[in-house]
Amino acid sequence: DAKAAGLQQAGNFVPGSAAHYVDLDRGLATDFLLDRPLAWLYSGTSDTSTVVGVMYYGATDGAPEGFVGPLDVWHQHTGACYRIEADGQIYVPFSPDHDGTRAECARHDGQYIEQTGWMVHAWVVPGWDSPSGVFSHDNPDIVCADGRRTVVDQSVGCVGA
């Protein structure tokens, strides 16, 4: 469904954060639209993977108002890196949590992002609730198909749940 809707895979499936399929038209959005998240989060990268949550993003100076109440804690990443491939896929050589350097990103021919916009995950799909909370950064129940909770190389990831 994500591919048919024109969303682009951003990086691989990674335990805790799932596979992100991004609506590039929302990349620099400054408005919060409940029905238009930046990314749909999937249980893997196969055509039969299921939605497990969504990610909202705001290219704003401060965290967006977002949801009613104080539970949606928005965050930013520093030292992120990506490269758009010829086929439109978004290659992410290391986790945005890695806090990479400009030189490290250049070794991957990537576009360096000193500081991202504001983002929040929403683990709102029944059966995929995060024990850390609906708006937690990661969902510890999102694991590799073989049960691993970590991967050595984020650019490779693992087969999803």
Side-chain angles (χ1 to χ4, degrees), residues 2 6 17 34 38-40 53 55 58 75 80 90 93 102 109 111 113-114 121 123 135 139 148-149 156 159 161:
S17 62
L34 184 62
L38 171 69
W40 291 80
M55 184 190 80
H75 67 278
I90 304 167
R102 189 176 300 278
D109 296 320
Q111 298 292 315
I113 303 171
E114 189 168 324
H121 292 102
W123 306 103
F135 296 113
N139 181 340
R148 284 182 294 144
R149 294 184 180 278
V156 176
V159 175

PDB file of all heavy atoms in Angstrom, residues 2 6 17 34 38-40 53 55 58 75 80 90 93 102 109 111 113-114 121 123 135 139 148-149 156 159 161:
ATOM      1  N   ALA A   2       1.960   1.222   0.763  1.00  0.00           N
ATOM      2  CA  ALA A   2       2.844   2.387   0.839  1.00  0.00           C
ATOM      3  C   ALA A   2       3.441   2.691  -0.536  1.00  0.00           C
ATOM      4  O   ALA A   2       3.461   3.847  -0.970  1.00  0.00           O
ATOM      5  CB  ALA A   2       3.952   2.151   1.861  1.00  0.00           C
ATOM      6  N   GLY A   6       2.880   5.946  -3.418  1.00  0.00           N
ATOM      7  CA  GLY A   6       4.005   6.805  -3.778  1.00  0.00           C
ATOM      8  C   GLY A   6       4.949   7.114  -2.638  1.00  0.00           C
ATOM      9  O   GLY A   6       5.810   7.989  -2.758  1.00  0.00           O
ATOM     10  N   SER A  17      12.331   0.680  15.731  1.00  0.00           N
ATOM     11  CA  SER A  17      11.763   1.811  14.987  1.00  0.00           C
ATOM     12  C   SER A  17      11.017   1.410  13.728  1.00  0.00           C
ATOM     13  O   SER A  17      10.411   2.253  13.088  1.00  0.00           O
ATOM     14  CB  SER A  17      12.843   2.837  14.663  1.00  0.00           C
ATOM     15  OG  SER A  17      13.831   2.278  13.839  1.00  0.00           O
ATOM     16  N   LEU A  34      -3.241  15.631  11.184  1.00  0.00           N
ATOM     17  CA  LEU A  34      -3.410  14.310  11.768  1.00  0.00           C
ATOM     18  C   LEU A  34      -3.475  13.214  10.710  1.00  0.00           C
ATOM     19  O   LEU A  34      -2.898  12.137  10.886  1.00  0.00           O
ATOM     20  CB  LEU A  34      -4.673  14.280  12.637  1.00  0.00           C
ATOM     21  CG  LEU A  34      -4.942  12.991  13.386  1.00  0.00           C
ATOM     22  CD1 LEU A  34      -3.821  12.683  14.366  1.00  0.00           C
ATOM     23  CD2 LEU A  34      -6.281  13.066  14.100  1.00  0.00           C
ATOM     24  N   LEU A  38       4.295  12.219   8.131  1.00  0.00           N
ATOM     25  CA  LEU A  38       5.417  12.161   7.198  1.00  0.00           C
ATOM     26  C   LEU A  38       5.699  10.718   6.811  1.00  0.00           C
ATOM     27  O   LEU A  38       5.982  10.417   5.660  1.00  0.00           O
ATOM     28  CB  LEU A  38       6.680  12.770   7.809  1.00  0.00           C
ATOM     29  CG  LEU A  38       7.957  12.566   6.987  1.00  0.00           C
ATOM     30  CD1 LEU A  38       7.901  13.368   5.693  1.00  0.00           C
ATOM     31  CD2 LEU A  38       9.186  12.913   7.785  1.00  0.00           C
ATOM     32  N   ALA A  39       5.626   9.807   7.782  1.00  0.00           N
ATOM     33  CA  ALA A  39       5.987   8.413   7.517  1.00  0.00           C
ATOM     34  C   ALA A  39       4.968   7.449   8.112  1.00  0.00           C
ATOM     35  O   ALA A  39       4.425   7.685   9.190  1.00  0.00           O
ATOM     36  CB  ALA A  39       7.370   8.105   8.087  1.00  0.00           C
ATOM     37  N   TRP A  40       4.769   6.377   7.380  1.00  0.00           N
ATOM     38  CA  TRP A  40       4.004   5.237   7.875  1.00  0.00           C
ATOM     39  C   TRP A  40       5.026   4.199   8.273  1.00  0.00           C
ATOM     40  O   TRP A  40       5.981   3.931   7.523  1.00  0.00           O
ATOM     41  CB  TRP A  40       3.075   4.712   6.778  1.00  0.00           C
ATOM     42  CG  TRP A  40       1.963   5.682   6.474  1.00  0.00           C
ATOM     43  CD1 TRP A  40       2.041   6.803   5.694  1.00  0.00           C
ATOM     44  CD2 TRP A  40       0.643   5.642   6.992  1.00  0.00           C
ATOM     45  NE1 TRP A  40       0.844   7.453   5.684  1.00  0.00           N
ATOM     46  CE2 TRP A  40      -0.042   6.761   6.467  1.00  0.00           C
ATOM     47  CE3 TRP A  40      -0.027   4.766   7.833  1.00  0.00           C
ATOM     48  CZ2 TRP A  40      -1.370   7.024   6.771  1.00  0.00           C
ATOM     49  CZ3 TRP A  40      -1.357   5.033   8.120  1.00  0.00           C
ATOM     50  CH2 TRP A  40      -2.010   6.152   7.592  1.00  0.00           C
ATOM     51  N   GLY A  53       2.499   1.805  12.990  1.00  0.00           N
ATOM     52  CA  GLY A  53       2.412   3.142  13.564  1.00  0.00           C
ATOM     53  C   GLY A  53       2.658   4.192  12.505  1.00  0.00           C
ATOM     54  O   GLY A  53       2.755   3.881  11.308  1.00  0.00           O
ATOM     55  N   MET A  55       4.694   8.343  11.897  1.00  0.00           N
ATOM     56  CA  MET A  55       5.620   9.341  12.419  1.00  0.00           C
ATOM     57  C   MET A  55       5.243  10.701  11.841  1.00  0.00           C
ATOM     58  O   MET A  55       5.084  10.846  10.634  1.00  0.00           O
ATOM     59  CB  MET A  55       7.060   9.029  12.041  1.00  0.00           C
ATOM     60  CG  MET A  55       8.053  10.014  12.656  1.00  0.00           C
ATOM     61  SD  MET A  55       9.730   9.851  12.001  1.00  0.00           S
ATOM     62  CE  MET A  55       9.581  10.752  10.469  1.00  0.00           C
ATOM     63  N   GLY A  58       7.743  17.995  11.814  1.00  0.00           N
ATOM     64  CA  GLY A  58       7.520  19.422  11.605  1.00  0.00           C
ATOM     65  C   GLY A  58       8.828  20.133  11.351  1.00  0.00           C
ATOM     66  O   GLY A  58       9.742  20.060  12.170  1.00  0.00           O
ATOM     67  N   HIS A  75      10.894  15.149  19.384  1.00  0.00           N
ATOM     68  CA  HIS A  75      12.355  15.137  19.512  1.00  0.00           C
ATOM     69  C   HIS A  75      12.998  15.491  18.176  1.00  0.00           C
ATOM     70  O   HIS A  75      12.338  15.507  17.142  1.00  0.00           O
ATOM     71  CB  HIS A  75      12.842  13.760  19.988  1.00  0.00           C
ATOM     72  CG  HIS A  75      12.620  12.669  18.987  1.00  0.00           C
ATOM     73  ND1 HIS A  75      11.401  12.027  18.841  1.00  0.00           N
ATOM     74  CD2 HIS A  75      13.446  12.108  18.063  1.00  0.00           C
ATOM     75  CE1 HIS A  75      11.493  11.123  17.874  1.00  0.00           C
ATOM     76  NE2 HIS A  75      12.722  11.156  17.386  1.00  0.00           N
ATOM     77  N   ALA A  80      22.354  13.526  11.238  1.00  0.00           N
ATOM     78  CA  ALA A  80      21.675  12.527  10.404  1.00  0.00           C
ATOM     79  C   ALA A  80      22.241  12.573   8.984  1.00  0.00           C
ATOM     80  O   ALA A  80      22.864  13.553   8.572  1.00  0.00           O
ATOM     81  CB  ALA A  80      20.178  12.781  10.390  1.00  0.00           C
ATOM     82  N   ILE A  90      15.355   5.951  -0.391  1.00  0.00           N
ATOM     83  CA  ILE A  90      16.166   6.787   0.487  1.00  0.00           C
ATOM     84  C   ILE A  90      17.110   5.885   1.271  1.00  0.00           C
ATOM     85  O   ILE A  90      16.681   5.084   2.091  1.00  0.00           O
ATOM     86  CB  ILE A  90      15.276   7.607   1.433  1.00  0.00           C
ATOM     87  CG1 ILE A  90      14.287   8.445   0.628  1.00  0.00           C
ATOM     88  CG2 ILE A  90      16.128   8.482   2.339  1.00  0.00           C
ATOM     89  CD1 ILE A  90      13.164   9.039   1.441  1.00  0.00           C
ATOM     90  N   PRO A  93      22.581   5.511   5.822  1.00  0.00           N
ATOM     91  CA  PRO A  93      23.743   4.686   6.167  1.00  0.00           C
ATOM     92  C   PRO A  93      23.897   4.380   7.650  1.00  0.00           C
ATOM     93  O   PRO A  93      24.540   3.407   8.017  1.00  0.00           O
ATOM     94  CB  PRO A  93      24.928   5.497   5.663  1.00  0.00           C
ATOM     95  CG  PRO A  93      24.451   6.905   5.645  1.00  0.00           C
ATOM     96  CD  PRO A  93      22.980   6.835   5.346  1.00  0.00           C
ATOM     97  N   ARG A 102      29.775  15.049   9.669  1.00  0.00           N
ATOM     98  CA  ARG A 102      29.712  15.450   8.261  1.00  0.00           C
ATOM     99  C   ARG A 102      30.661  14.573   7.431  1.00  0.00           C
ATOM    100  O   ARG A 102      30.311  14.113   6.343  1.00  0.00           O
ATOM    101  CB  ARG A 102      30.084  16.928   8.137  1.00  0.00           C
ATOM    102  CG  ARG A 102      29.850  17.510   6.763  1.00  0.00           C
ATOM    103  CD  ARG A 102      30.141  19.013   6.745  1.00  0.00           C
ATOM    104  NE  ARG A 102      29.315  19.774   7.659  1.00  0.00           N
ATOM    105  CZ  ARG A 102      28.072  20.192   7.415  1.00  0.00           C
ATOM    106  NH1 ARG A 102      27.509  19.882   6.271  1.00  0.00           N
ATOM    107  NH2 ARG A 102      27.417  20.895   8.301  1.00  0.00           N
ATOM    108  N   ASP A 109      28.558   9.385   0.481  1.00  0.00           N
ATOM    109  CA  ASP A 109      28.004  10.287  -0.535  1.00  0.00           C
ATOM    110  C   ASP A 109      26.612  10.773  -0.151  1.00  0.00           C
ATOM    111  O   ASP A 109      25.716  10.883  -0.991  1.00  0.00           O
ATOM    112  CB  ASP A 109      27.967   9.616  -1.918  1.00  0.00           C
ATOM    113  CG  ASP A 109      29.351   9.285  -2.440  1.00  0.00           C
ATOM    114  OD1 ASP A 109      30.266  10.111  -2.244  1.00  0.00           O
ATOM    115  OD2 ASP A 109      29.514   8.198  -3.030  1.00  0.00           O
ATOM    116  N   GLN A 111      23.716  13.284   2.109  1.00  0.00           N
ATOM    117  CA  GLN A 111      23.366  14.649   2.470  1.00  0.00           C
ATOM    118  C   GLN A 111      23.342  14.717   3.995  1.00  0.00           C
ATOM    119  O   GLN A 111      22.589  13.992   4.641  1.00  0.00           O
ATOM    120  CB  GLN A 111      21.987  15.014   1.918  1.00  0.00           C
ATOM    121  CG  GLN A 111      21.909  14.966   0.413  1.00  0.00           C
ATOM    122  CD  GLN A 111      22.748  16.056  -0.218  1.00  0.00           C
ATOM    123  OE1 GLN A 111      22.727  17.215   0.207  1.00  0.00           O
ATOM    124  NE2 GLN A 111      23.515  15.694  -1.226  1.00  0.00           N
ATOM    125  N   ILE A 113      22.613  16.256   7.648  1.00  0.00           N
ATOM    126  CA  ILE A 113      21.629  17.107   8.317  1.00  0.00           C
ATOM    127  C   ILE A 113      22.149  17.377   9.725  1.00  0.00           C
ATOM    128  O   ILE A 113      22.195  16.477  10.552  1.00  0.00           O
ATOM    129  CB  ILE A 113      20.253  16.428   8.397  1.00  0.00           C
ATOM    130  CG1 ILE A 113      19.760  16.043   7.015  1.00  0.00           C
ATOM    131  CG2 ILE A 113      19.252  17.344   9.097  1.00  0.00           C
ATOM    132  CD1 ILE A 113      18.516  15.190   7.034  1.00  0.00           C
ATOM    133  N   GLU A 114      22.587  18.604   9.939  1.00  0.00           N
ATOM    134  CA  GLU A 114      23.131  18.948  11.245  1.00  0.00           C
ATOM    135  C   GLU A 114      22.088  18.763  12.352  1.00  0.00           C
ATOM    136  O   GLU A 114      22.382  18.218  13.406  1.00  0.00           O
ATOM    137  CB  GLU A 114      23.641  20.382  11.243  1.00  0.00           C
ATOM    138  CG  GLU A 114      24.415  20.730  12.487  1.00  0.00           C
ATOM    139  CD  GLU A 114      25.158  22.035  12.355  1.00  0.00           C
ATOM    140  OE1 GLU A 114      25.665  22.339  11.253  1.00  0.00           O
ATOM    141  OE2 GLU A 114      25.241  22.746  13.368  1.00  0.00           O
ATOM    142  N   HIS A 121       6.836   9.650  17.037  1.00  0.00           N
ATOM    143  CA  HIS A 121       6.222   8.406  16.579  1.00  0.00           C
ATOM    144  C   HIS A 121       4.908   8.224  17.327  1.00  0.00           C
ATOM    145  O   HIS A 121       4.787   8.635  18.482  1.00  0.00           O
ATOM    146  CB  HIS A 121       7.132   7.205  16.881  1.00  0.00           C
ATOM    147  CG  HIS A 121       8.378   7.205  16.081  1.00  0.00           C
ATOM    148  ND1 HIS A 121       9.591   7.603  16.597  1.00  0.00           N
ATOM    149  CD2 HIS A 121       8.610   6.864  14.791  1.00  0.00           C
ATOM    150  CE1 HIS A 121      10.524   7.490  15.654  1.00  0.00           C
ATOM    151  NE2 HIS A 121       9.949   7.050  14.549  1.00  0.00           N
ATOM    152  N   TRP A 123       2.548   4.969  18.088  1.00  0.00           N
ATOM    153  CA  TRP A 123       2.334   3.520  17.992  1.00  0.00           C
ATOM    154  C   TRP A 123       0.855   3.269  18.298  1.00  0.00           C
ATOM    155  O   TRP A 123       0.483   2.969  19.421  1.00  0.00           O
ATOM    156  CB  TRP A 123       3.257   2.788  18.972  1.00  0.00           C
ATOM    157  CG  TRP A 123       4.693   3.156  18.784  1.00  0.00           C
ATOM    158  CD1 TRP A 123       5.433   3.997  19.557  1.00  0.00           C
ATOM    159  CD2 TRP A 123       5.558   2.720  17.738  1.00  0.00           C
ATOM    160  NE1 TRP A 123       6.710   4.096  19.065  1.00  0.00           N
ATOM    161  CE2 TRP A 123       6.819   3.323  17.935  1.00  0.00           C
ATOM    162  CE3 TRP A 123       5.398   1.875  16.634  1.00  0.00           C
ATOM    163  CZ2 TRP A 123       7.896   3.117  17.100  1.00  0.00           C
ATOM    164  CZ3 TRP A 123       6.476   1.660  15.790  1.00  0.00           C
ATOM    165  CH2 TRP A 123       7.704   2.276  16.031  1.00  0.00           C
ATOM    166  N   PHE A 135       3.525   7.403  22.374  1.00  0.00           N
ATOM    167  CA  PHE A 135       4.392   8.341  21.659  1.00  0.00           C
ATOM    168  C   PHE A 135       5.874   8.089  21.925  1.00  0.00           C
ATOM    169  O   PHE A 135       6.700   8.975  21.743  1.00  0.00           O
ATOM    170  CB  PHE A 135       4.043   9.783  22.029  1.00  0.00           C
ATOM    171  CG  PHE A 135       2.654  10.188  21.620  1.00  0.00           C
ATOM    172  CD1 PHE A 135       1.686  10.450  22.574  1.00  0.00           C
ATOM    173  CD2 PHE A 135       2.309  10.312  20.279  1.00  0.00           C
ATOM    174  CE1 PHE A 135       0.405  10.832  22.212  1.00  0.00           C
ATOM    175  CE2 PHE A 135       1.031  10.696  19.893  1.00  0.00           C
ATOM    176  CZ  PHE A 135       0.080  10.947  20.864  1.00  0.00           C
ATOM    177  N   ASN A 139       9.731   1.385  19.881  1.00  0.00           N
ATOM    178  CA  ASN A 139       8.807   0.374  20.389  1.00  0.00           C
ATOM    179  C   ASN A 139       9.608  -0.907  20.586  1.00  0.00           C
ATOM    180  O   ASN A 139      10.001  -1.549  19.609  1.00  0.00           O
ATOM    181  CB  ASN A 139       7.662   0.156  19.397  1.00  0.00           C
ATOM    182  CG  ASN A 139       6.657  -0.864  19.864  1.00  0.00           C
ATOM    183  OD1 ASN A 139       6.938  -1.688  20.724  1.00  0.00           O
ATOM    184  ND2 ASN A 139       5.476  -0.824  19.273  1.00  0.00           N
ATOM    185  N   ARG A 148      16.042 -10.812  17.168  1.00  0.00           N
ATOM    186  CA  ARG A 148      17.066  -9.851  17.590  1.00  0.00           C
ATOM    187  C   ARG A 148      16.452  -8.488  17.851  1.00  0.00           C
ATOM    188  O   ARG A 148      15.554  -8.051  17.158  1.00  0.00           O
ATOM    189  CB  ARG A 148      18.146  -9.698  16.510  1.00  0.00           C
ATOM    190  CG  ARG A 148      19.109 -10.854  16.443  1.00  0.00           C
ATOM    191  CD  ARG A 148      20.186 -10.635  15.391  1.00  0.00           C
ATOM    192  NE  ARG A 148      19.547 -10.638  14.073  1.00  0.00           N
ATOM    193  CZ  ARG A 148      19.932  -9.869  13.053  1.00  0.00           C
ATOM    194  NH1 ARG A 148      20.930  -9.031  13.192  1.00  0.00           N
ATOM    195  NH2 ARG A 148      19.310  -9.938  11.904  1.00  0.00           N
ATOM    196  N   ARG A 149      16.989  -7.810  18.852  1.00  0.00           N
ATOM    197  CA  ARG A 149      16.533  -6.468  19.201  1.00  0.00           C
ATOM    198  C   ARG A 149      17.536  -5.398  18.783  1.00  0.00           C
ATOM    199  O   ARG A 149      17.289  -4.209  18.966  1.00  0.00           O
ATOM    200  CB  ARG A 149      16.268  -6.378  20.700  1.00  0.00           C
ATOM    201  CG  ARG A 149      15.112  -7.257  21.132  1.00  0.00           C
ATOM    202  CD  ARG A 149      14.798  -7.098  22.608  1.00  0.00           C
ATOM    203  NE  ARG A 149      13.689  -7.947  22.995  1.00  0.00           N
ATOM    204  CZ  ARG A 149      12.411  -7.641  22.823  1.00  0.00           C
ATOM    205  NH1 ARG A 149      12.084  -6.497  22.291  1.00  0.00           N
ATOM    206  NH2 ARG A 149      11.460  -8.472  23.188  1.00  0.00           N
ATOM    207  N   VAL A 156      22.085  -1.998   6.869  1.00  0.00           N
ATOM    208  CA  VAL A 156      21.620  -3.297   6.384  1.00  0.00           C
ATOM    209  C   VAL A 156      20.315  -3.683   7.069  1.00  0.00           C
ATOM    210  O   VAL A 156      19.405  -4.231   6.452  1.00  0.00           O
ATOM    211  CB  VAL A 156      22.688  -4.404   6.642  1.00  0.00           C
ATOM    212  CG1 VAL A 156      22.184  -5.754   6.236  1.00  0.00           C
ATOM    213  CG2 VAL A 156      23.975  -4.049   5.890  1.00  0.00           C
ATOM    214  N   VAL A 159      15.503  -8.550   8.634  1.00  0.00           N
ATOM    215  CA  VAL A 159      14.169  -8.860   8.136  1.00  0.00           C
ATOM    216  C   VAL A 159      13.186  -8.522   9.237  1.00  0.00           C
ATOM    217  O   VAL A 159      13.388  -8.890  10.394  1.00  0.00           O
ATOM    218  CB  VAL A 159      14.063 -10.352   7.736  1.00  0.00           C
ATOM    219  CG1 VAL A 159      12.647 -10.700   7.328  1.00  0.00           C
ATOM    220  CG2 VAL A 159      15.043 -10.656   6.612  1.00  0.00           C
ATOM    221  N   ALA A 161       9.548  -8.110  11.449  1.00  0.00           N
ATOM    222  CA  ALA A 161       8.730  -9.053  12.215  1.00  0.00           C
ATOM    223  C   ALA A 161       7.760  -9.805  11.299  1.00  0.00           C
ATOM    224  O   ALA A 161       7.357  -9.325  10.283  1.00  0.00           O
ATOM    225  CB  ALA A 161       7.950  -8.289  13.277  1.00  0.00           C
TER     226      ALA A 161
END
